[in-house]
Structures are given as C-alpha cells and as structure tokens.
Amino acid sequence: MTKQESLKGKVAVVTGAGRGIGAAIAEALAAAGATVACAARSLAEVEAVAARIGTAGGLAFALRADVAEAGQVAALYAETLRRAGGLDLLFVNAGVSLDQRPVEASDPDAFETTMRVNLFGAYHCARLAIPHLRARGGGRIVMTGSGMGHSSLHGHAAYSCSKAGVWMLVRILADELRADGIAVNELVPGPVQTAMTGVPQRTGSVVNNPVEWLKQPEDVVPLAMFLATHPAPGPTGQSFSLMRRTF
Ligand SMILES: NC(=O)c1ccc[n+]([C@@H]2O[C@H](COP(=O)([O-])OP(=O)(O)OC[C@H]3O[C@@H](n4cnc5c(N)ncnc54)[C@H](OP(=O)(O)O)[C@@H]3O)[C@@H](O)[C@H]2O)c1
C-alpha cells in the first residue's frame, strides 16, 4: 500500500469541515484515500470543501449538521452510512469561541452556546458514533482540544471550560472504548490562523503569542494524520499538542 492509500476503504466524518483546521484535515484524509463526510452548519462552505476534494481526485460529500443538536448528528451518521457504508474515523472538530470578556462581564447565553457546541457537541458526536465504529470492529475518534482547556487564560471562561470538558471526555471515552478497539485522543493545535482566531496582529489575541508557533491550518495535518493512521492499538486517552506550553 502506498502512503497515499493509507486510508483507502476507510470512511471519515469531520465536523467543522467548512473552513480552517477541519477543512485542512478533511482534504488530507481524502488525499490518503478515505471517503470523507464534511459537516458543518454552513452547507455552502462544506460543499466547497467537498468539491475541492473531488477536483483533486478524492471522495467526499457535504452534509449540513449542527453538532449541538443530537438529532442532526444522528442524521449525519445515517446519511454517511447510506452513502459510504460505514464509519471508521471521527474528527470532532467543530467549535466556537464567542465571548472574550471576564466572567463578571460575560454573556450567559454565549457561555451556554459555547458549552452546547464545544462540549455537548463533542458528546453527541462521540456517543452516537460508537455503535457505528464498533460495527466496523474499531476505529478512531480525534477531538480538537485546546491549550486553553489545560491552562487558564483571562477572559476565556466559556471556551476554556468547554475544552477542559473535551479533554476529560477523551480520557473517559478512551477507557470505555479500549476493549472495542476504538482509540480516542485529543489534538491540541495551538494557535492557528483561522476565522476563529482572526487577525494575528490583534493586541492580546491568543494567536499573538511570541513563544508559540503561529500555524496555518495545513500545519496541523501531519499530527491529525498520525492520529488517523497509526497502527492499532496505538495510543488512546492521550493529548497530543503542537504547543510549546500546553500544560
Ligand atoms: N484556530 C486556533 O488557533 C485553534 C486553537 C486551538 C483549538 N482550536 C479548535 O479547532 C477547531 C476548529 O477551529 P478553527 O480555528 O478551524 O475555526 P473556524 O475556522 O471558525 O472553523 C470552525 C468550524 O466549525 C464549524 N462549526 C461551528 N459551530 C458548529 C456547530 N454548532 N455545528 C457544526 N459545525 C460547527 C464551522 O462552520 P459553521 O459555522 O458553518 O457551522 C466551521 O466549519 C475548534 O474546535 C477550535 O476550538 C482552534
């Protein structure tokens, strides 16, 4: 098998695949031979990513799904199974960062939405994927975490709490699913220039940190591919970071 075919025959779902880190991962998985379901709320964005993959000779389709809604996640998997026949790899990557104010000044609705997307969304995506992964005899779940889930940063309570929850969810799922051959790991990208992080020169921006490697989405791909392709059983319940300072 060539390096390019390392995921041939595998089916992947990538949430938050419409842009940024998720789009880069979706394109890389497809380039390695996987069939990729690209999911997000903005259908036009995931359709553009799936079209790019198709133009490059890969297999992908676009599906609209809000990960905060369990029913939409279930429908995402049902449609993926209908189109591609199974599920082997899940990248739980959809995320939002909505409020950068101190807790006292923050918006409770933004806190709740952040938790619903980043943490409940990860929970829905993982929980509903388990029977499909098990039906294939095992699989991989990779959750995009954050350094802010491991150490505190002033003004980012909602985001940090949601990502801290993701990290614990990874560890618990890894223990619960080890016997099923389903590896669950966290990918901590560190600062990446995307729509979420905005202009890197912004004063106080989390991407404007002199000790960290400011990445483009493609820079996250090698670590994502390691987690998607390492031989079984491989690591599980681990946090893999591209940051200098995560913990
Ligand atoms: N960029 C960084 O520096 C950085 C650092 C550490 C961790 N991360 C994490 O990396 C992941 C990707 O971030 P990014 O920087 O690539 O951000 P991005 O460019 O804003 O992309 C976020 C993606 O998530 C989707 N999304 C948001 N809410 C969703 C929902 N409720 N249901 C389904 N999809 C949803 C977005 O599409 P729609 O809005 O159309 O749904 C989009 O496709 C996030 O989990 C983020 O927390 C990013």
Side-chain angles (χ1 to χ4, degrees):
M1 187 180 293
T2 67
K3 192 179 175 203
Q4 285 69 30
E5 293 174 328
S6 57
L7 292 175
K8 195 173 172 63
K10 302 291 186 188
V11 179
V13 166
V14 181
T15 70
R19 56 179 186 262
I21 296 167
I25 291 173
E27 292 185 56
L29 294 171
T35 300
V36 184
C38 304
R41 294 169 301 180
S42 308
L43 187 58
E45 289 193 349
V46 276
E47 282 178 338
V49 173
R52 277 207 305 275
I53 289 172
T55 302
L59 296 170
F61 50 91
L63 296 172
R64 189 190 179 284
D66 183 340
V67 297
E69 301 294 335
Q72 293 190 29
V73 176
L76 164 67
Y77 294 149
E79 186 60 13
T80 300
L81 261 65
R82 191 184 73 75
R83 292 203 199 187
L87 176 63
D88 303 286
L89 300 166
L90 170 62
F91 277 81
V92 177
N93 171 77
V96 292
S97 175
L98 300 175
D99 194 348
Q100 283 85 42
R101 290 171 290 182
V103 170
E104 185 181 16
S106 65
D107 175 5
D109 290 340
F111 193 99
E112 185 173 333
T113 301
T114 305
M115 296 300 280
R116 279 176 49 77
V117 174
N118 294 5
L119 182 54
F120 279 62
Y123 164 81
H124 293 319
C125 287
R127 186 178 75 85
L128 293 165
I130 291 167
H132 304 307
L133 296 169
R134 196 180 277 136
R136 301 279 268 201
R140 308 278 161 79
I141 299 174
V142 180
M143 297 200 179
T144 311
S146 169
M148 284 194 263
H150 294 259
S151 59
S152 63
L153 184 63
H154 180 274
H156 291 81
Y159 185 80
S160 297
C161 289
S162 71
K163 292 295 185 177
V166 165
W167 168 221
M168 185 53 70
L169 186 60
V170 162
R171 299 171 77 167
I172 288 169
L173 283 166
D175 288 345
E176 293 179 355
L177 301 177
R178 189 184 303 267
D180 294 301
I182 301 170
V184 190
N185 289 295
E186 180 190 39
L187 190 167
V188 177
V192 183
Q193 208 173 337
T194 66
M196 177 181 284
T197 44
V199 181
Q201 289 78 22
R202 193 175 63 197
T203 306
S205 165
V206 294
V207 299
N208 189 19
N209 181 334
V211 305
E212 292 294 348
W213 170 27
L214 174 59
K215 288 165 286 297
Q216 297 302 310
E218 310 79 68
D219 295 323
V220 180
V221 162
L223 180 54
M225 291 306 294
F226 164 74
L227 292 172
T229 62
H230 66 71
T236 190
Q238 301 294 311
S239 180
F240 293 85
S241 174
L242 293 171
M243 297 185 75
R244 180 172 169 206
R245 293 182 184 160
T246 305
F247 311 113

